[in-house]
Amino acid sequence: MLVGLVGKTNVGKTTFFSAATLVEAERGNRPFVTIEPNEGVAYVRVESVCREFGVSCEPRTGWCNGRNRFAPVKVLDVAGLVSGAHRGRGLGNKFLDDLRRAPVNILVVDASGGTDSEGNPVPPGTHDPTEDYTIVSEEMSHWIAGIIKRNVGKASRRIRSGEKATAVLADVLSGLGVRKEDVERSAELEGLDVRRVGEWGEDDLLNFARRLREISKPFVVAANKVDVPEAERFLEGLRSLGEPVIPTSAESELILRRAAAAGLIRYEPGDPSFEIVDESRLTEAQRRALKLVEERVLDRFGSTGVQEALETAVFDVAGFVAVFPVENENRLSDRDGRVLPDVFLMKRGSTVRDLAYRIHSEIGERAVGGLDVRTKRKIPLDRELRHRDVVKILARRG
Ligand SMILES: Nc1nc2c(ncn2[C@@H]2O[C@H](COP(=O)(O)OP(=O)(O)OP(=O)(O)O)[C@@H](O)[C@H]2O)c(=O)[nH]1
Ligand SMILES: [Mg+2]
């Protein structure tokens, strides 16, 4: 599971990335600091099943605090965009290709209104951040339109030779996770005939790409820099854009995660508060920074929002479910006795068979069904997985 971070330049994407993954990467208050993408692992919370079964998790990756199991997701931070990127402005938009594999993107905007259209710092409150949103959704639409354009000759030939038009176009865009239904729906909404894609004008193509972007590349908007008081006035406007909006302070999350890693505070991602371990170990500057995070972010918004943005993206928007595979249904362990070693994030609609293949292709081939460990009932290979299922795969001997 990959979550992409997109946005205008200088809005805090890399800060969000570092806060979520604790991977160091260059940040700075100027446009185009990031050039090459940064990839790291963040964790989303899944209510753990260990308590219910009276066992203790022994995660291979991530961790469990008895309440929540933290499941790994990859996060990709890419270069920033400016308007006209598809015409080569700024760093262009070709790097969006890196986001092909992401079923959902977090669109980071500077909700404080403190960066202009070009990503230059301006006084907070002077730039409307809904424009940050428009720049990115438009550039993503141009990116999709560009992919179709590059392939339109080949696609038209395939259609003329009898292949179904929607299938051909979905195939051209399959790297983006676009499905036939998405192509059909977008064309229908725009009143376009996919069989004649070769004759579409620029506007037809772009309108089609906009629809397709909405349907197949959804956003969660991270309204970032809410620690800056001016952000308050822009939240309503951002909420009217029709996408989920999560107020975030990536900078605050980074401060908290680092302080926790250094043993200065007790804090887990997503917590509404933190606890100072030992006052005397804090410098005056650290004490002041933590106080600001508490007053300006945690007390007002309930959390830094970074965790909530990730979880909204993975579970609510991309619709993934978390599944716990086990080999021993009594001990909830793998073959080596390791208790609840994994939690897999699986696409909505994934089945017991998909889980078997995810464990190992050979297990996938030998699987004959599953066991729902909660009910101890057998379940068929085509049964859809549900969030927090605990499943044992039943397989023929190899
Ligand atoms: N006040 C405040 N500043 C933030 C926050 N997040 C990031 N910043 C600041 O915003 C500036 C840009 O941060 P980056 O993370 O480098 O932004 P980016 O979107 O990755 O920028 P590019 O890679 O250059 O496109 C830096 O000065 C950060 O310290 C936040 O939550 N609050
Ligand atoms: Mg960056």
Side-chain angles (χ1 to χ4, degrees):
M1 166 77 195
L2 178 74
V3 177
L5 292 174
V6 277
K8 188 183 77 180
T9 183
N10 203 13
V11 293
K13 296 177 296 298
T14 303
T15 309
F16 187 111
F17 167 81
S18 286
T21 63
L22 288 183
V23 171
E24 288 294 332
E26 195 185 347
R27 296 170 285 119
N29 194 9
R30 58 193 154 85
F32 307 122
V33 172
T34 306
I35 296 176
E36 290 304 319
N38 298 302
E39 186 162 341
V41 176
Y43 296 89
V44 289
R45 289 169 298 182
V46 178
E47 191 193 336
S48 189
V49 297
C50 57
R51 204 188 265 179
E52 172 188 344
F53 286 92
V55 295
S56 298
C57 288
E58 298 174 309
R60 242 195 290 264
T61 47
W63 69 100
C64 178
N65 60 17
R67 237 174 339 116
N68 289 313
R69 176 77 176 243
F70 288 77
V73 291
K74 283 199 189 121
V75 180
L76 192 71
D77 164 41
V78 297
L81 290 159
V82 285
S83 185
H86 64 284
R87 292 193 304 269
R89 292 197 65 235
L91 299 174
N93 75 357
K94 289 196 184 59
F95 58 82
L96 290 178
D97 283 344
D98 295 327
L99 297 173
R100 274 170 182 273
R101 291 173 297 132
V104 57
N105 288 296
I106 295 178
L107 195 170
V108 184
V109 303
D110 176 354
S112 76
T115 38
D116 69 13
S117 315
E118 304 295 311
N120 298 305
V122 291
T126 59
H127 178 83
D128 181 355
T130 53
E131 195 202 72
D132 297 9
Y133 171 89
T134 312
I135 288 175
V136 178
S137 57
E138 275 298 285
E139 285 305 324
M140 285 192 76
S141 303
H142 278 286
W143 167 61
I144 294 172
I147 296 173
I148 300 173
K149 224 168 161 175
R150 280 198 298 283
N151 291 284
V152 79
K154 211 166 45 185
S156 300
R157 277 195 297 282
R158 283 174 63 183
I159 294 165
R160 275 199 305 273
S161 72
E163 283 187 66
K164 196 166 171 351
T166 47
V168 170
L169 217 49
D171 190 33
V172 162
L173 296 162
S174 63
L176 305 187
V178 167
R179 302 165 308 167
K180 259 195 320 228
E181 305 91 271
D182 304 338
V183 170
E184 242 156 62
R185 176 114 187 92
S186 304
E188 189 186 299
L189 286 167
E190 289 303 320
L192 289 163
D193 181 354
V194 184
R195 287 170 300 183
R196 311 181 73 153
V197 61
E199 297 156 35
W200 289 359
E202 289 283 329
D203 283 352
D204 296 336
L205 186 58
L206 190 56
N207 289 334
F208 175 77
R210 285 188 181 116
R211 289 285 185 193
L212 209 49
R213 201 290 301 155
E214 273 171 33
I215 295 172
S216 60
K217 288 273 157 189
F219 295 135
V220 168
V221 177
N224 195 35
K225 310 195 186 182
V226 290
D227 50 286
V228 180
E230 280 79 0
E232 197 99 43
R233 76 172 83 147
F234 292 120
L235 288 177
E236 212 175 288
L238 289 168
R239 288 201 174 101
S240 70
L241 293 170
E243 318 260 3
V245 175
I246 315 290
T248 63
S249 173
E251 195 76 53
S252 302
E253 179 72 2
L254 190 58
I255 291 171
L256 294 176
R257 292 286 302 271
R258 284 190 174 154
L264 296 172
I265 62 170
R266 270 184 284 276
Y267 172 76
E268 286 204 281
D271 280 354
S273 60
F274 60 86
E275 219 180 295
I276 293 172
V277 173
D278 177 0
E279 283 279 350
S280 68
R281 280 178 59 205
L282 294 179
T283 64
E284 193 43 45
Q286 284 169 331
R287 205 189 316 267
R288 233 178 303 129
L290 289 171
K291 186 117 199 88
L292 275 182
V293 169
E294 188 163 53
E295 286 174 3
R296 290 199 178 170
V297 181
L298 300 179
D299 289 352
R300 283 169 58 207
F301 296 98
S303 80
T304 68
V306 167
Q307 202 55 30
E308 198 187 335
L310 282 169
E311 288 161 5
T312 303
V314 172
F315 298 118
D316 300 346
V317 176
F320 275 54
V321 294
V323 184
F324 295 82
V326 298
E327 277 189 66
N328 181 319
E329 69 272 32
N330 300 312
R331 302 183 52 198
L332 267 70
S333 69
D334 64 8
R335 173 180 320 180
D336 305 323
R338 189 171 186 134
V339 176
L340 294 166
D342 298 304
V343 51
F344 289 158
L345 296 172
M346 310 278 299
K347 236 196 293 196
R348 194 197 332 245
S350 299
T351 60
V352 172
R353 182 184 288 105
D354 296 322
L355 176 66
Y357 274 102
R358 170 80 181 264
I359 296 167
H360 200 286
S361 57
E362 196 205 327
I363 308 257
E365 277 154 28
R366 290 195 284 113
V368 292
L371 186 76
D372 177 339
V373 173
R374 235 180 228 109
T375 60
K376 297 279 192 301
R377 290 223 176 95
K378 283 193 184 166
I379 46 179
L381 282 176
D382 61 2
R383 173 15 186 104
E384 276 189 21
L385 297 166
R386 299 177 192 142
H387 191 51
R388 300 180 66 249
D389 264 346
V390 186
V391 178
K392 171 184 171 153
I393 299 295
L394 306 172
R396 278 183 283 107
R397 283 194 187 285

